[in-house]
Amino acid sequence: MTVWDGFACFATTPVTGPPAPGTPPRSLEERLGYHSQFVTVRTPAIEALAKQVRTLMVLGRHQQVTARPSLIVTGPAGAGKTTALLQVGRACHLAHTRRHGDTGAGGQVPVAYVLVPPAASAKTLALEFARYLGIPVAGRMSQAHIVGSVCHAYTQAGVRLVLIDEIHRLNPRTTTGAQSADLLKDLTERIGATFVYAGIDVTTTALFSGVRGAQLAARASLVDCGPFPARDGGNEPFKDLIQAMENALDLRCHRAGSLVRLAPYLHARTAGRIGSLARLVKQAAITALVDGTERIIRTTLDAVRLDHLADQHYRPRTRNKTGSR
């Protein structure tokens, strides 16, 4: 995913989906593979991010003097930030391909996806940008030379959307973190693209502190990928999320609506995080296929060992000897 060929393969691979009505039953192996990948639910955060990215790309297309406005996707771990980032990147890639034909191999590269490395320095971050497009880098090249090559190559390739993940790894209060933040500012001014960042609880980190943080905060809008509430006014967004996942199951004996009825339990079990819910449903579906039950019930879900973050949050109530809670 962090090199062009890998991202292009991701973007153009057909999205998995539930079987269409009237199609022949899929084999056990096919259904195990399907539930391992499973579907990506189009959440409100993905919709909001896609809409804002489209707007900022149009705005940035005609802005030549200063750095273009950017977006930051923030939220706790397991809230679907990377998924939202990649889905918007996929949509941008496919839209570009529809308009201009095939990309890469000497053609244009509409989207770049870069991970901030741990303890990133400006030079190691610049190397990640170079690696994505396969820009040759010699061991003795200076940082300025690498950055110049990156800006030239990205401009020649027509990169229009730059996705930068794990942005919380940057700490502008340190020397290396400050230099990396300065590098990103430099790139936003020299590459004609819209930059979108994603990171864990960005507003509580040092990223917005000091002069550099103020510059970033003045240019970036926030898209919050927080946990899904059980209820939001008259709506039940978490129940809607469960419904979408349940509709996508390919289990022969599963009773429609049984997961939705477990919404309070599922919300308590996952703290409303889409990542934890998706993992729980996928593992339960695979268990149901392997043991031959072909359906998900409460005991199936109880048997799944979930991520540590969710397990720390969940404290099931138990009955004492008198039967009271």
Side-chain angles (χ1 to χ4, degrees):
M1 295 288 280
T2 55
V3 295
W4 162 243
D5 288 343
F7 186 88
C9 181
F10 156 77
T12 55
T13 298
V15 178
T16 58
T23 57
R26 295 189 283 197
S27 69
L28 175 61
E29 284 303 318
E30 288 174 326
R31 290 186 295 141
L32 285 171
Y34 165 67
H35 287 100
S36 296
Q37 296 178 344
F38 210 42
V39 295
T40 298
V41 178
R42 190 83 176 178
T43 64
I46 294 178
E47 296 286 359
L49 180 60
K51 182 177 181 180
Q52 292 196 49
V53 166
R54 285 194 298 267
T55 301
L56 292 187
M57 289 181 72
V58 173
L59 179 63
R61 194 181 305 155
H62 304 285
Q63 186 169 333
Q64 304 296 330
V65 180
T66 60
R68 293 157 180 77
S70 57
L71 288 169
I72 296 179
V73 184
T74 185
K81 300 177 296 300
T82 295
T83 297
L85 205 65
L86 292 176
Q87 291 305 309
V88 170
R90 182 206 292 268
C92 178
H93 177 100
L94 294 177
H96 185 277
T97 302
R98 286 193 296 270
R99 289 194 300 269
H100 304 288
D102 199 10
T103 57
Q108 289 194 316
V109 176
V111 181
Y113 176 69
V114 176
L115 282 179
V116 176
S121 66
K123 187 170 185 178
T124 59
L125 185 54
L127 287 171
E128 288 299 307
F129 276 85
R131 189 170 69 87
Y132 182 81
L133 281 189
I135 301 169
V137 176
R140 294 183 179 180
M141 285 177 64
S142 68
Q143 177 184 315
H145 192 175
I146 297 171
V147 172
S149 297
V150 165
C151 292
H152 175 75
Y154 275 57
T155 300
Q156 289 298 110
V159 175
R160 291 293 174 261
L161 180 63
V162 178
L163 309 173
I164 303 178
D165 211 349
E166 307 289 348
I167 193 66
H168 57 271
R169 290 175 172 173
L170 290 186
N171 182 2
R173 292 176 181 171
T174 67
T175 301
T176 55
Q179 292 170 349
S180 298
D182 287 342
L183 170 65
L184 289 178
K185 180 177 180 295
D186 187 28
L187 294 177
T188 62
E189 293 171 347
R190 296 175 62 181
I191 299 173
T194 297
F195 280 63
V196 183
Y197 310 92
I200 297 173
D201 294 332
V202 172
T203 55
T204 65
T205 69
L207 200 62
F208 283 163
S209 64
V211 175
R212 293 174 179 84
Q215 287 180 325
L216 180 61
R219 290 172 173 163
S221 303
L222 287 179
V223 175
D224 193 356
C225 280
F228 280 66
R231 185 175 294 277
D232 183 15
N235 300 318
E236 296 180 277
F238 191 73
K239 186 175 286 188
D240 294 339
L241 180 62
I242 297 170
Q243 182 71 74
M245 289 187 181
E246 186 168 35
N247 289 344
L249 291 173
D250 189 6
L251 299 173
R252 292 169 185 168
C253 299
H254 185 78
R255 295 181 180 178
S258 57
L259 282 188
V260 174
R261 287 190 289 274
L262 291 173
Y265 159 76
L266 291 170
H267 194 273
R269 184 83 190 273
T270 64
R273 285 187 290 268
I274 186 172
S276 298
L277 177 65
R279 178 174 172 178
L280 180 59
V281 173
K282 287 194 293 185
Q283 289 187 226
I286 290 171
T287 298
L289 287 169
V290 171
D291 67 18
T293 59
E294 294 272 354
R295 63 185 180 130
I296 299 176
I297 57 177
R298 172 68 181 264
T299 54
T300 315
L301 296 164
D302 283 338
V304 174
R305 293 293 300 273
L306 209 46
D307 57 274
H308 182 61
L309 191 62
D311 282 344
Q312 279 189 314
H313 170 84
Y314 182 58
R315 294 291 183 269
R317 294 180 296 175
T318 57
R319 293 179 180 273
N320 60 25
K321 292 182 179 179
T322 62
S324 61
R325 290 186 180 269

